[in-house]
Amino acid sequence: MLSLQSMRQPATSKALLRSMQVSCRLQSTQRASTAGPASDGATAMLDELVRHQKARAELAVPWFVENMPDSYFRLVRPATRAQHLRAITAFGEENLSVPEVKMTDGSNFTFLSPGGAVGGSTSAVARQLASLPADAGLRRVLLFSSTDGRLSLNMFETSQRGAAGEVLYGHDASAAPAEIEMRSQLEAYAKQLANGSFIGMPNHPPPSSRLSTRELERFLSNCASRFVVDHVPRLLYKQLLLYLQVAHSERTAVELEHNYEGSESRTLITAAMTGIEPRQALKRTLTLLSMSGLELERAQLDKVGVTPRTDATTTATPTATPTATAAATAAATAPTHPGVTLLRAVVHPSKARAPLSDAEWRALSDDMHRIKWVDESVLALAASNPKFGLLRAEVCTALAELSLSLLDHPLLGYEHLHQKLLQPHVQTHALALSELFLRRHDPHTPLADAQFGEACMAWEAKIEAAFGNEETRALMRTMGSALKHTLRTNVHVPERFALSLRLQPQFFEPVLPPSADLNNMPFGVFFSAGRHFCAYHVRFRDISRGGLRVVLPSSLETHAAESRRQFAECFNLAWAQQLKNKDIPEGGSKAVCLVRPQPDERRDVLLHDCVKKFTDSLLDLLTPDETTRSHVAHASAGQELLYLGPDENITPTDIDWVVARAKARGYPMAAAFMSSKPREGINHKEFGVTSEGVAIFLDSGLRAIGISPRNQPWSLKLTGGPDGDVAGNMIKIMHREYGDNVRVVGISDGSATVEDPLGISMPELLRLVEQSAPLSALSPAVLSPHGVLTLADTPEGFARRNTMHSRVVADAFVPAGGRPATINSSNWREMLLPDGSPNTKLIVEGANLFLTAEARQALFDATKLPVVKDSSANKCGVCCSSLEIVASMVLSADEFVKIKPRYVEEVLEKLRSLARLEAELLFSEARKQPDESLPELSVRISKAILRVRDALGVLMDTFDETQKQRLWPLTRELLPPVLFENYAQRLPERLPWNYTKSMIAAGLASRMVYREGLSYTEGLAEGRLAEFALTYLKQEQHVRALAAQVVASGVPHARDVEALLLRGGIRAAAEHPHGVDHAQ
């Protein structure tokens, strides 16, 4: 409660009262001559009220002038100050308890609070911030406290998404005189700086070329006019320097000015932050201040735009960290720059704590640099226990979320887990584990193996004794196991975007599915955790390739369920990729980034930010940059290379950013880090590379079930929209190859489902493909009387969309989009008609894992339904990425663009050939073995090729240089011919031997299996497999030479003889090598 009677009254009070026109006189209406006693009483009450209000105003005004800080009168307009004074006189009545007054004026909110522990505390500001409309952003914040501590006056100016911005400097005619005056002051101060007038004086920036007229103009042009004219030149230049450090980057810059305004207890914190909205910046800063025991005296928050740059000024300053340099280089490919949030806060220690030490101030500054990157769960844990701090809370949270991959307990879901970490008895041991993690991975003095082992044993003994309930003990055990299996981490890398761990794959052994004939232990696993996301990257060979998939569930409940199965999904996708990658040098890998829904954030911005944070945290552990590696313990363990590709929710903007970032971070062959680049790559959607292979398997499958797709009508249903990669291109290919013979009778995407038994208009579908529009944009007028378009924006529409594939009857079904396990062991019967037959005669999986293995087998057992498994059907996408990356290794971007049209055509031809070879073998084996399902045969084909490839690779590792050189010509038939026309000499120099070896081995293994079939290659004894494969390779070269001589001779039926030689001659020659003269 604010008492006004004790306020002092300076001589200027009456003058100020007149100038502010604070008047409490009330206009009374003219009383009639017949007024009675009641009217006289009302008049007396009004007169008394007027006198009372005037007396309070005469007390309040002089106190207000003397106790409000100068910055208040500089930053707040007179009319607004008058409103504040009127409110103060209203709620400041002695004995009137009003804990807080909230004034609302459109989008502006002002809170007047009594000073002290409640109204003026950091927590009070946080509470006020939280009370603002949930969907409102912050445009400006001004926080003030009276010098006597009796009043807090906090002003929040909000804005709605899409609302017009503030009037910028130089665009407000009414502000021109004030702008000119401020510009004059700035120039005068700049001149003093340049002359060295403030050298050696604290809190003034040193002379710098960065404080040029050009930079000042650029800065001011992005500032709101009032931000400039209300400022103090010294503080404006301080913010300019911080702004220049972070603009066009992902950085945060922080400066602490102690003894501010001559007070030993007062510190000015100035921060410039990119990539975070003002509301979040303030909320997170308040949490840090509260954790540090600091109270706000006053604060100011503004947002300043960033001018796009295309010149050399986009590079970071020489003093920037490698992380900052990379961010500056890569930022040009990001979406529209969100601007820089500028925060100024004057703080002092709370009464309950001692002044902060130098180490504590440094820790606060470090945390200020980190706050925009950490998740809300990390902040909540850090705020719950001051012993954690931000770093330990981040480690603890990451280990707990990683543990979800192994835990299968109803009381250990995502939300349960985070709630458990807030329990004091759990925090004691979680804190000790986090500290042990930091000591183990200290880049300067890491904990030695022996000491680490002893410390882990001691910690484990304590948790076994401390916890009686099984779920808590299981969580602690798993978190401890995660620590012991962490090989490297970026936890100590400055300004990292997220926390990343390189894990020994044995950590996941308890949840790996059994595999009898092939080792399915991953080669390596990465785990990353950051703001709004967790991600895994799983790979099965040192050199591996696979897509990056970003998953954004529709609700928090769905996210919690997805978080339990995230690793399993990533593992299964990577294993499917391993089987799929049989034809290329790389093993299989996959990355799955699970994003936590954020209703207040734009979907595209949220997804792009999570891609950036995940991939950059990977680069922390991959880059050879010595500065970064110096912050990573055990970094000398070896260099690892990852190769990513686009998958669900990855855009061209993401691809460009990732490649630019990898280049800036010094990643070797950065262009190879992500495939499907829009310019110097082969964009999968643009060229339909995946769909070309799916279409060939579909064509072969239709012929196998007795449908001649080019000669008779047939029907098709698809999941995935016309704006998607696989579905959109399938529509184009179907029209190109089959014309009016094909009828699309059902199709669904995220927006709608369309069903028409007479066929959906192909021109209309092609229009949507061309415009990259979803199904919701389809014109209902093109449908037949039996057709229907159902939007998925209602529960009924949502249900129809999700069941289209199980309701619509069609000759063939191509899942070309949708979530994994859509058809599973619990719902596969929904694919059956009342008579027990399937509602489709053929399924070709264009989308990964649309059917589970159990569902595929159940459908085959019940109906003999042929299902072409994803690892066969959609393999051409990754094959294309592999060939794109070869070009990235050999050619510059401009060189590739020059040959791109021809290169793409040659790649497409190779892709169609690879798909055709496998499709022919698959359906040939199915005819021979009718009791074995297509998915089982598909897996056998992959395993047979991988078995031969791996054996041959081991043998080739023993080759000397002469033997390696003899093998090099074999690459000519594996790569697009255009590469050899102008760059043949460069190829062996730029393609590493390990890559070349794997390419030759994969090429030979796939040719051998496709040509000779499963029973032959599976029957080869393990002990002689490698030697036989090498003999087969040599005889293949010899037989090809003979076949070429036969064709050149011109003898009758030369082509027939050539075909017979190639089909059976190689095997015969390999089995009897001594009976064949192949001296060359």
Side-chain angles (χ1 to χ4, degrees):
M1 183 183 67
L2 180 62
S3 174
L4 299 178
Q5 291 189 350
S6 62
M7 297 174 183
R8 292 181 294 165
Q9 183 173 347
T12 59
S13 64
K14 291 185 178 180
L16 181 66
L17 181 62
R18 288 193 299 269
S19 68
M20 296 187 66
Q21 298 180 352
V22 178
S23 173
C24 296
R25 288 177 292 182
L26 303 175
Q27 294 183 355
S28 60
T29 58
Q30 186 177 4
R31 293 191 297 271
S33 58
T34 57
S39 179
D40 291 339
T43 300
M45 291 172 63
L46 289 172
D47 291 342
E48 176 60 25
L49 179 59
V50 168
R51 287 193 298 271
H52 192 62
Q53 288 285 80
K54 181 178 180 181
R56 282 188 294 170
E58 289 177 341
L59 289 171
V61 171
W63 170 86
F64 193 77
V65 172
E66 181 168 318
N67 285 278
M68 292 303 289
D70 291 342
S71 58
Y72 172 83
F73 294 100
R74 186 178 73 250
L75 297 171
V76 180
R77 298 292 181 261
T80 305
R81 298 200 297 259
Q83 292 176 359
H84 296 165
L85 253 173
R86 284 195 289 270
I88 289 170
T89 58
F91 90 86
E93 173 71 35
E94 189 174 19
N95 298 324
L96 178 63
S97 178
V98 181
E100 187 167 87
V101 172
K102 180 179 180 181
M103 302 169 60
T104 303
D105 180 13
S107 59
N108 299 328
F109 300 84
T110 301
F111 295 85
L112 301 172
S113 307
V118 178
S121 67
T122 302
S123 59
V125 178
R127 176 169 46 81
Q128 293 165 2
L129 180 65
S131 74
L132 301 179
D135 59 345
L138 283 185
R139 177 172 287 168
R140 197 179 205 199
V141 176
L142 300 173
L143 309 177
F144 304 101
S145 295
S146 63
T147 56
D148 63 0
R150 297 187 180 188
L151 175 70
S152 290
L153 194 157
N154 301 330
M155 303 170 62
F156 301 86
E157 186 175 323
T158 67
S159 63
Q160 296 297 319
R161 184 181 296 173
E166 290 197 72
V167 178
L168 296 180
Y169 175 86
H171 293 79
D172 185 357
S174 64
E179 290 179 355
I180 293 171
E181 171 60 26
M182 175 51 69
R183 183 55 190 268
S184 176
Q185 295 180 36
L186 290 171
E187 290 175 349
Y189 182 72
K191 187 175 181 181
Q192 289 178 292
L193 286 176
N195 292 337
S197 301
F198 302 114
I199 291 178
M201 296 179 63
N203 306 323
H204 287 275
S208 171
S209 60
R210 302 202 75 195
L211 295 176
S212 63
T213 301
R214 180 188 180 194
E215 291 293 358
L216 178 63
E217 286 290 350
R218 197 193 299 267
F219 176 62
L220 295 180
S221 67
N222 284 292
C223 295
S225 177
R226 61 175 176 174
F227 170 83
V228 176
V229 301
D230 292 340
H231 237 301
V232 174
R234 180 182 77 84
L235 297 180
L236 189 67
Y237 268 95
K238 179 194 290 281
Q239 289 169 89
L240 169 58
L241 278 174
L242 296 181
Y243 173 90
L244 292 175
Q245 291 180 40
V246 304
H248 301 287
S249 80
E250 303 287 344
R251 297 190 65 200
T252 292
V254 180
E255 183 177 305
L256 304 178
E257 182 178 327
H258 299 298
N259 303 319
Y260 185 63
E261 296 176 339
S263 172
E264 292 184 359
S265 64
R266 193 177 283 151
T267 295
L268 171 66
I269 301 174
T270 308
M273 308 178 188
T274 59
I276 185 169
E277 289 298 321
R279 183 164 184 169
Q280 274 293 325
L282 179 59
K283 177 183 177 182
R284 289 164 175 260
T285 300
L286 290 170
T287 300
L288 286 185
L289 296 180
S290 180
M291 289 165 50
S292 302
L294 294 173
E295 299 290 355
L296 272 176
E297 287 190 29
R298 58 184 183 271
Q300 184 175 349
L301 190 84
D302 293 277
K303 189 170 182 179
V304 177
V306 175
T307 302
R309 298 186 182 184
T310 55
D311 56 15
T313 56
T314 55
T315 24
T317 60
T319 57
T321 65
T323 304
T325 305
T329 306
T333 61
T336 303
H337 199 290
V340 177
T341 296
L342 295 177
L343 170 70
R344 284 82 65 214
V346 179
V347 300
H348 66 267
S350 65
K351 296 177 181 179
R353 72 114 60 226
L356 275 68
S357 65
D358 290 345
E360 288 173 321
W361 280 116
R362 284 195 299 272
L364 175 62
S365 178
D366 290 343
D367 285 351
M368 287 286 292
H369 284 87
R370 291 279 316 129
I371 53 170
K372 75 171 185 176
W373 298 117
V374 299
D375 195 70
E376 283 78 1
S377 58
V378 173
L379 284 171
L381 181 59
S384 72
N385 187 336
K387 294 181 180 179
F388 267 106
L390 213 56
L391 192 59
R392 290 170 185 80
E394 191 176 9
V395 169
C396 180
T397 302
L399 292 176
E401 294 188 350
L402 172 58
S403 298
L404 279 174
S405 60
L406 268 65
L407 296 171
D408 184 16
H409 195 288
L411 297 181
L412 287 176
Y414 184 87
E415 295 298 337
H416 297 107
L417 180 147
H418 286 288
Q419 288 299 319
K420 191 168 285 292
L421 292 180
L422 296 176
Q423 298 173 2
H425 66 291
V426 173
Q427 289 187 347
T428 300
H429 301 280
L431 181 61
L433 185 68
S434 300
E435 181 62 32
L436 183 55
F437 184 98
L438 294 176
R439 290 173 58 203
R440 172 63 170 171
H441 296 285
D442 186 316
H444 306 297
T445 56
L447 202 59
D449 290 349
Q451 294 173 294
F452 176 63
E454 293 174 0
C456 287
M457 290 178 62
W459 181 86
E460 289 167 351
K462 289 179 180 178
I463 65 165
E464 293 299 326
F467 300 111
N469 59 29
E470 182 55 34
E471 71 268 14
T472 305
R473 191 184 296 126
L475 173 61
M476 291 289 103
R477 286 171 180 162
T478 311
M479 290 173 65
S481 178
L483 165 59
K484 290 193 291 185
H485 285 90
T486 299
L487 295 174
R488 295 187 305 282
T489 175
N490 68 344
V491 67
H492 292 292
V493 173
E495 299 195 53
R496 55 185 168 78
F497 289 12
L499 180 61
S500 189
L501 283 62
R502 167 57 161 96
L503 294 156
Q504 291 176 315
Q506 288 74 17
F507 170 72
F508 302 95
E509 190 167 9
V511 295
L512 297 186
S515 179
D517 44 1
L518 277 183
N519 179 14
N520 69 346
M521 176 65 71
F523 179 88
V525 179
F526 287 87
F527 172 76
S528 293
R531 186 180 175 199
H532 304 330
F533 83 94
C534 283
Y536 289 94
H537 182 279
V538 177
R539 77 189 199 273
F540 283 94
R541 294 290 186 273
D542 186 9
I543 300 176
S544 293
R545 173 167 308 287
L548 165 56
R549 167 176 294 198
V550 184
V551 180
L552 177 58
S554 58
S555 67
L556 294 177
E557 292 75 17
T558 308
H559 173 270
E562 292 285 351
S563 65
R564 280 184 174 275
R565 54 178 176 258
Q566 183 185 359
F567 172 77
E569 176 178 332
C570 189
F571 174 89
N572 290 332
L573 288 168
W575 183 244
Q577 197 75 45
Q578 172 73 0
L579 299 177
K580 185 186 305 184
N581 288 13
K582 53 190 173 288
D583 303 297
I584 62 175
E586 301 95 335
S589 68
K590 205 72 175 184
V592 176
C593 178
L594 178 63
V595 179
R596 188 169 171 82
Q598 303 297 317
D600 298 333
E601 294 195 29
R602 272 177 44 190
R603 184 179 189 277
D604 60 330
V605 174
L606 175 63
L607 294 177
H608 180 67
D609 283 350
C610 289
V611 169
K612 291 197 300 184
K613 287 177 281 195
F614 172 44
T615 53
D616 192 71
S617 70
L618 289 178
L619 288 168
D620 286 336
L621 299 179
L622 300 174
T623 178
D625 175 74
E626 287 301 327
T627 303
T628 302
R629 288 170 67 87
S630 69
H631 296 289
V632 178
H634 321 295
S636 59
Q639 175 86 37
E640 293 187 277
L641 297 175
L642 301 185
Y643 300 98
L644 306 176
D647 201 334
E648 186 177 327
N649 286 318
I650 294 296
T651 68
T653 297
D654 296 322
I655 296 170
D656 280 341
W657 191 94
V658 169
V659 172
R661 185 69 168 168
K663 181 178 180 181
R665 298 291 306 273
Y667 186 74
M669 295 180 291
F673 188 45
M674 174 73 89
S675 63
S676 196
K677 297 174 285 296
R679 178 177 178 267
E680 60 269 23
I682 305 175
N683 185 276
H684 289 197
K685 183 176 181 181
E686 179 182 355
F687 296 103
V689 295
T690 303
S691 302
E692 291 286 353
V694 175
I696 284 176
F697 278 95
L698 175 62
D699 187 272
S700 296
L702 289 169
R703 296 177 189 280
I705 62 175
I707 294 176
S708 179
R710 285 185 171 81
N711 300 314
Q712 68 183 90
W714 58 283
S715 58
L716 174 68
K717 59 182 175 181
L718 304 103
T719 58
D723 56 343
D725 173 7
V726 181
N729 281 295
M730 282 298 292
I731 291 170
K732 292 166 64 176
I733 295 171
M734 294 299 98
H735 177 67
R736 180 189 76 197
E737 298 294 329
Y738 309 114
D740 294 338
N741 281 337
V742 61
R743 291 177 292 114
V744 177
V745 294
I747 183 170
S748 62
D749 67 3
S751 70
T753 182
V754 186
E755 303 165 26
D756 194 334
L758 299 184
I760 304 165
S761 166
M762 185 60 76
E764 179 67 0
L765 288 175
L766 291 170
R767 179 186 70 82
L768 297 181
V769 173
E770 183 65 26
Q771 296 177 0
S772 194
L775 285 174
S776 57
L778 183 136
S779 172
V782 303
L783 298 174
S784 76
H786 304 285
V788 61
L789 163 66
T790 307
L791 299 182
D793 56 359
T794 65
E796 296 78 12
F798 184 81
R800 285 188 65 82
R801 187 277 308 274
N802 287 351
T803 57
M804 184 283 297
H805 63 275
S806 60
R807 290 184 294 98
V808 173
V809 178
D811 291 319
F813 171 37
V814 176
R819 297 292 296 132
T822 297
I823 302 176
N824 53 59
S825 59
S826 65
N827 65 12
W828 64 268
R829 290 180 179 83
E830 296 173 9
M831 295 292 293
L832 305 182
L833 297 173
D835 64 359
S837 63
N839 62 25
T840 185
K841 301 172 185 176
L842 170 70
I843 297 178
V844 180
E845 284 190 280
N848 288 321
L849 303 181
F850 191 87
L851 288 83
T852 65
E854 297 80 7
R856 296 185 194 112
Q857 191 61 42
L859 285 168
F860 179 78
D861 292 341
T863 69
K864 299 299 181 182
L865 176 66
V867 178
V868 181
K869 190 176 179 297
D870 48 8
S871 58
S872 294
N874 63 33
K875 70 175 185 177
C876 285
V878 73
C879 294
C880 174
S881 294
S882 182
L883 291 170
E884 174 191 330
I885 295 311
V886 170
S888 298
M889 293 178 182
V890 176
L891 309 176
S892 70
D894 290 340
E895 287 172 336
F896 178 79
V897 171
K898 186 176 180 180
I899 66 168
K900 181 173 179 177
R902 182 178 165 191
Y903 194 87
V904 170
E905 277 305 315
E906 291 176 353
V907 165
L908 288 173
E909 190 52 45
K910 284 188 172 294
L911 299 181
R912 296 184 187 109
S913 174
L914 282 172
R916 194 173 295 110
L917 285 170
E918 182 173 357
E920 290 173 356
L921 175 61
L922 180 64
F923 288 103
S924 171
E925 294 287 350
R927 287 190 294 272
K928 298 175 189 175
Q929 306 174 67
D931 292 330
E932 190 160 4
S933 69
L934 287 183
E936 291 176 315
L937 292 170
S938 177
V939 171
R940 283 179 59 192
I941 290 171
S942 293
K943 289 181 176 180
I945 293 173
L946 292 172
R947 178 170 170 262
V948 175
R949 186 178 86 172
D950 290 347
L952 190 58
V954 170
L955 179 62
M956 292 169 69
D957 279 334
T958 66
F959 286 4
D960 58 28
E961 287 302 317
T962 301
Q963 291 172 302
K964 292 177 182 178
Q965 290 300 320
R966 288 176 180 170
L967 289 176
W968 173 250
L970 297 175
T971 60
R972 186 175 287 272
E973 63 187 83
L974 303 172
L975 298 174
V978 68
L979 274 183
F980 292 88
E981 292 186 3
N982 298 312
Y983 307 104
Q985 297 300 318
R986 190 187 296 178
L987 285 166
E989 299 171 359
R990 298 198 178 180
L991 290 180
W993 163 247
N994 278 347
Y995 195 92
T996 302
K997 173 199 71 176
S998 296
M999 180 167 53
I1000 294 172
L1004 169 64
S1006 61
R1007 291 196 305 275
M1008 181 172 155
V1009 173
Y1010 293 149
R1011 186 182 293 133
E1012 309 301 343
L1014 283 176
S1015 59
Y1016 182 77
T1017 51
E1018 288 176 337
L1020 294 171
E1022 197 72 38
R1024 63 183 292 264
L1025 180 60
E1027 286 292 347
F1028 180 83
L1030 185 60
T1031 302
Y1032 191 95
L1033 173 62
K1034 294 176 181 178
Q1035 297 302 334
E1036 180 185 49
Q1037 294 174 280
H1038 177 58
V1039 171
R1040 284 185 175 182
L1042 289 176
Q1045 292 175 15
V1046 170
V1047 172
S1049 70
V1051 298
H1053 310 293
R1055 289 295 180 185
D1056 294 334
V1057 174
E1058 177 194 32
L1060 289 171
L1061 279 172
L1062 293 176
R1063 182 172 295 275
I1066 301 173
R1067 174 174 166 180
E1071 290 176 339
H1072 307 284
H1074 302 295
V1076 179
D1077 179 13
H1078 58 272
Q1080 296 183 33

